[in-house]
Amino acid sequence: MKNTIRNSYLSKRKAIAKERREQAHLCLLDRLKEITAGYKKILSYSPLSDEVDTYPFNAFLQQNNRLLLPKIVEESLVPYEVRDMEKQLKTFSHGVLEPDSSCNRNQNIDLAIIPGIAFDKQGARLGFGKGHYDRFLAGKKIRTIGLCFKEQIYDGKLPLEPHDITMERLCIV
């Protein structure tokens, strides 16, 4: 069932029109600034081409020394502090920009902004199925915000497994 939903919502996300994406991104930076005020270290993400674009928000966090970005190391998500996105990010697996070896690992995270393929209104998240975020967040006291387009909201309740981590809050654009 998860794979059927995943495939359907990947298609929906890819089909979002350019104008709709631009409209969503216009309000995103101000909303994320407001939501994340007061948090010192924030784990964000480098978006795939059809995900919500976090680049302006990441640049804002970088200016304030608050930006952490994930890198997959031996199938585990590892957060790294990024001080210069232009120099410290390299294209790695699946065309995703990830921190390079000049970045320092940092586990001191106050808040995580997390992408997904689909979310339900209760905060359940469906990702690519590899469990990177679920394993990383398990047992940690990190606040979580799922970031998505309104087209990614699943009508109903997503199927969950015991290891799936539910988002505390959604930021829907």
Side-chain angles (χ1 to χ4, degrees):
M1 173 131 176
K2 280 187 173 184
N3 280 335
T4 302
I5 296 168
R6 187 176 288 117
N7 291 335
S8 172
Y9 276 79
L10 276 171
S11 295
K12 284 183 180 193
R13 189 172 75 187
K14 286 180 181 170
I16 298 171
K18 181 182 176 187
E19 298 79 24
R20 166 72 183 101
R21 289 176 186 281
E22 289 170 357
Q23 171 198 26
H25 293 139
L26 283 175
C27 67
L28 182 62
L29 181 58
D30 288 337
R31 286 185 62 200
L32 284 176
K33 281 181 179 179
E34 180 183 323
I35 292 169
T36 61
Y39 292 99
K40 293 179 182 174
K41 294 292 181 181
I42 299 171
L43 177 68
S44 185
Y45 65 91
S46 294
L48 296 171
S49 62
D50 61 348
E51 288 181 321
V52 175
D53 184 6
T54 55
Y55 185 83
F57 178 64
N58 291 349
F60 166 75
L61 292 176
Q62 173 195 277
Q63 290 172 344
N64 296 286
N65 295 321
R66 297 165 61 201
L67 177 62
L68 298 167
L69 291 174
K71 180 175 183 172
I72 303 304
V73 178
E74 298 175 7
E75 292 305 309
S76 294
L77 188 150
V78 180
Y80 286 85
E81 196 159 344
V82 177
R83 302 240 183 223
D84 187 337
M85 292 191 307
E86 296 297 318
K87 294 179 182 172
Q88 294 182 310
L89 297 182
K90 304 288 183 237
T91 303
F92 286 94
S93 59
H94 308 298
V96 174
L97 289 172
E98 293 183 341
D100 68 14
S101 60
S102 70
C103 298
N104 294 320
R105 288 184 182 206
N106 189 330
Q107 297 287 334
N108 297 321
I109 300 166
D110 301 303
L111 176 70
I113 307 291
I114 301 175
I117 295 170
F119 295 88
D120 67 21
K121 291 177 183 169
Q122 293 76 40
R125 173 187 166 271
L126 183 65
F128 281 99
K130 299 198 180 213
H132 293 132
Y133 280 101
D134 295 315
R135 284 192 306 277
F136 173 73
L137 292 167
K140 293 183 174 75
K141 294 185 180 196
I142 298 172
R143 308 295 309 245
T144 56
I145 297 175
L147 180 58
C148 65
F149 294 104
K150 65 183 178 182
E151 291 85 350
Q152 293 177 259
I153 299 299
Y154 181 74
D155 189 29
K157 209 168 175 175
L158 284 169
L160 290 177
E161 295 176 39
H163 64 270
D164 290 331
I165 302 290
T166 300
M167 303 294 99
E168 291 177 48
R169 181 175 181 171
L170 296 178
C171 179
I172 305 166
V173 292

